[in-house]
Amino acid sequence: MKTTPCLALALLASLSVTGLAQSEYEYDKPPVSYSDTPPNQAVTQLEARIAKGELSLTGDGKAVLRELLGLLKVPEESQVLVYSKTSFQTDLIRPTNPRCLYFNENTYIGWVPGGLMEVTVVDPKIGPVFYTFDPEGKKKLEGKRFMRDEQCLNCHGGTYTNATPGVFIRSVHTTAEGGTWLHLGSRIIDHTSPLEERWGGWYVTGQHGNARHMGNMFSREEKGKLIEDTEAGANVSDLAKYFDTGLYPKKTSDIVALMTLEHQCVMQNTLTRADFQTRRTLHMQQSLQRDLDEPVTAEPTGSTLRGFQSCARDVMDNLFFKGEAALPDGGIEGSEAFQTAFLAGAPKSKAGRSLREFQLLNRIFKYRCSYMVYSTTWQNLNAPFKKLLYDQLGLVLRGRDEEKRYAYLSNFERSEILKILADTLPDAPADWRGTAESAKN
């Protein structure tokens, strides 16, 4: 596992706290107190409506899924399908009964026909919160339809997410029954992953030319040798030969939706981790200042400031798609329905440009700055860190960053990104707007 500077700082902070159980994660300690903090977001609001009798989700699993997607404003067109047994509902998931996933920038919904739904909603203070939900009401989950499920953190709060509650996409070598070849390992996938390493255990619809991936196929071993037919899974447009697509709201597992989700997951995790870590180190700084009878400062200083800067770099690397894997020659083609749904209601600059615009020829997006700047976590980053982050972003987007870490961004692209952010971010620094206006003249 590659350890980023921000993660290294988190591990250092962990080692500096004595007298605590080794298995206790930092996110369960002050100031975050993840497990002890009551969430306040879309699911808690739905729970309140159900409790008051204002809302009743009825019907079979597919009907309830569609209603829930509508209530949480998650587009059906974002559907992707996974057939590997990599969820807790392994007894139900198989290639003929895949698990479906849907997402918007703050919400993730999973369901396997015949089973529970898994709902993850991002909270303003504690990041992703995980729930299980019984769509047909066959089980009473402590009198609620939604149940906050801490067991999800076994995978979604440990090694796979750098010890922070998070979401991830995994690619595994998968058998014809949906099992995984554990001795071959797995990969966490994001926008830097080569296409040939992606989507093991996933269905994929769309066109990608001569490039090959691990989706839509099954692995087997013969005489100790792994046998995989990547040709069989290439450029698939119809999944009906694999399973009954009528069980699901859509018939696709779109390649563009998958690539979008992969980027979104790593961006969400990076933001959550940076917010938690900067809150934690500032809390430690202030505690030390109190112990030493020094003035308690609201701004980071010394090693705390250096930690903030390290976390800002982690955020900007993913924000600006650093190291993004090039798309195949000729680009990729996916579902127009997903792209239309994804762009619907997107924040736009005065010139009509949006960070959600796709490019799909040699990279995913037209403007290499993540739309996750509009996410709940970004909007609620702690104030000292957000100020420092905006200062750093301003230097990069004006071409004044001495390190030239993002030299792959042309001056034109930086200028366009700055204009979009200045016009669409409510809390964008005032001088961004001035710079953007000057660039127009």
Side-chain angles (χ1 to χ4, degrees):
M1 177 182 69
K2 181 180 179 181
T3 301
T4 66
C6 188
L7 177 59
L9 186 65
L11 295 174
L12 181 61
S14 176
L15 290 173
S16 70
V17 180
T18 60
L20 292 168
Q22 191 173 11
S23 62
E24 185 179 354
Y25 283 117
E26 289 294 322
Y27 57 75
D28 270 333
K29 305 170 190 174
V32 177
S33 301
Y34 177 86
S35 297
D36 293 333
T37 300
N40 181 20
Q41 24 74 338
V43 163
T44 57
Q45 294 163 17
L46 286 183
E47 284 182 340
R49 292 179 61 191
I50 291 172
K52 292 178 181 178
E54 298 173 356
L55 177 65
S56 177
L57 301 174
T58 59
D60 62 14
K62 181 178 175 181
V64 173
L65 172 64
R66 282 190 143 150
E67 187 173 4
L68 188 60
L69 290 170
L71 289 167
L72 295 177
K73 299 179 181 179
V74 177
E76 292 183 8
E77 292 82 2
S78 66
Q79 176 178 291
V80 292
L81 298 159
V82 55
Y83 54 84
S84 62
K85 294 179 179 291
T86 47
S87 164
F88 72 93
Q89 301 186 83
T90 56
D91 57 327
L92 294 173
I93 300 170
R94 53 188 178 276
T96 56
N97 196 53
R99 175 171 166 249
C100 53
L101 295 171
Y102 307 83
F103 64 96
N104 64 24
E105 64 196 26
N106 297 308
T107 308
Y108 308 81
I109 299 176
W111 175 63
V112 55
L116 298 175
M117 291 180 185
E118 302 155 59
V119 181
T120 303
V121 181
V122 178
D123 182 86
K125 295 297 183 183
I126 57 174
V129 181
F130 304 91
Y131 299 88
T132 52
F133 173 72
D134 181 10
E136 299 185 22
K138 294 178 180 178
K139 300 178 181 179
K140 292 293 184 181
L141 301 177
E142 297 182 0
K144 300 179 181 179
R145 298 295 291 274
F146 292 93
M147 180 177 178
R148 187 171 175 181
D149 195 342
E150 299 293 347
Q151 292 187 12
C152 295
L153 294 172
N154 292 335
C155 290
H156 289 274
T159 303
Y160 292 133
T161 56
N162 286 335
T164 305
V167 287
F168 60 92
I169 299 295
R170 195 152 55 122
S171 180
V172 297
H173 298 275
T174 310
T175 71
E177 294 76 34
T180 59
W181 296 101
L182 295 177
H183 66 287
L184 297 176
S186 65
R187 298 180 177 93
I188 303 299
I189 303 300
D190 60 30
H191 57 257
T192 68
S193 303
L195 201 73
E196 61 266 23
E197 295 181 358
R198 301 193 192 197
W199 309 318
W202 295 78
Y203 286 119
V204 185
T205 54
Q207 302 298 303
H208 45 84
N210 293 327
R212 296 294 177 261
H213 56 74
M214 293 172 60
N216 304 328
M217 70 167 191
F218 310 102
S219 308
R220 69 181 191 277
E221 279 191 330
E222 291 183 3
K223 298 179 180 179
K225 183 179 180 181
L226 183 69
I227 307 297
E228 295 182 321
D229 183 5
T230 56
E231 289 297 323
N235 298 305
V236 170
S237 58
D238 185 0
L239 297 174
K241 64 180 179 180
Y242 299 104
F243 63 93
D244 180 4
T245 56
L247 295 174
Y248 303 86
K250 298 296 177 182
K251 299 181 182 298
T252 55
S253 184
D254 182 55
I255 189 171
V256 180
L258 280 163
M259 288 186 145
T260 302
L261 178 59
E262 289 157 357
H263 163 73
Q264 178 171 311
C265 286
V266 71
M267 192 73 234
Q268 175 64 58
N269 295 347
T270 304
L271 289 172
T272 304
R273 188 165 61 251
D275 184 58
F276 283 13
Q277 183 56 27
T278 51
R279 286 164 61 188
R280 184 180 305 123
T281 53
L282 187 59
H283 175 76
M284 293 172 65
Q285 171 189 297
Q286 293 172 337
S287 296
L288 183 60
Q289 288 170 333
R290 291 188 190 96
D291 290 342
L292 298 175
D293 291 325
E294 296 178 351
V296 176
T297 58
E299 301 298 324
T301 61
S303 61
T304 303
L305 176 59
R306 290 190 292 274
F308 272 49
Q309 292 167 337
S310 174
C311 287
R313 174 181 288 187
D314 287 350
V315 169
M316 290 194 298
D317 280 356
N318 286 313
L319 184 77
F320 293 135
F321 291 84
K322 184 173 177 60
E324 180 180 9
L327 297 184
D329 290 342
I332 62 171
E333 294 181 20
S335 164
E336 290 186 9
F338 168 70
Q339 294 171 49
T340 299
F342 184 75
L343 284 164
K348 293 182 179 180
S349 69
K350 294 175 182 176
R353 299 184 178 93
S354 170
L355 296 181
R356 287 179 175 263
E357 292 180 55
F358 289 107
Q359 196 241 42
L360 304 182
L361 293 175
N362 49 38
R363 60 178 186 260
I364 306 172
F365 292 100
K366 182 175 181 179
Y367 303 107
R368 283 172 288 186
C369 179
S370 178
Y371 63 90
M372 290 293 283
V373 295
Y374 309 116
S375 67
T376 291
T377 302
W378 182 284
Q379 294 303 313
N380 290 278
L381 289 171
N382 67 85
F385 177 62
K386 197 171 191 181
K387 181 183 182 302
L388 182 143
L389 181 58
Y390 275 166
D391 288 345
Q392 296 297 313
L393 286 173
L395 291 175
V396 172
L397 294 175
R398 293 186 181 98
R400 299 175 186 170
D401 51 318
E402 295 181 359
E403 189 182 3
K404 305 300 180 186
R405 187 175 180 86
Y406 310 103
Y408 57 90
L409 297 174
S410 69
N411 290 335
F412 175 77
E413 190 174 357
R414 294 176 195 228
S415 176
E416 290 302 298
I417 291 170
L418 184 60
K419 293 174 189 175
I420 295 170
L421 294 178
D423 286 348
T424 60
L425 277 181
D427 61 352
D431 62 331
W432 287 14
R433 295 182 179 90
T435 303
E437 288 296 328
S438 299
K440 294 176 185 177
N441 299 325

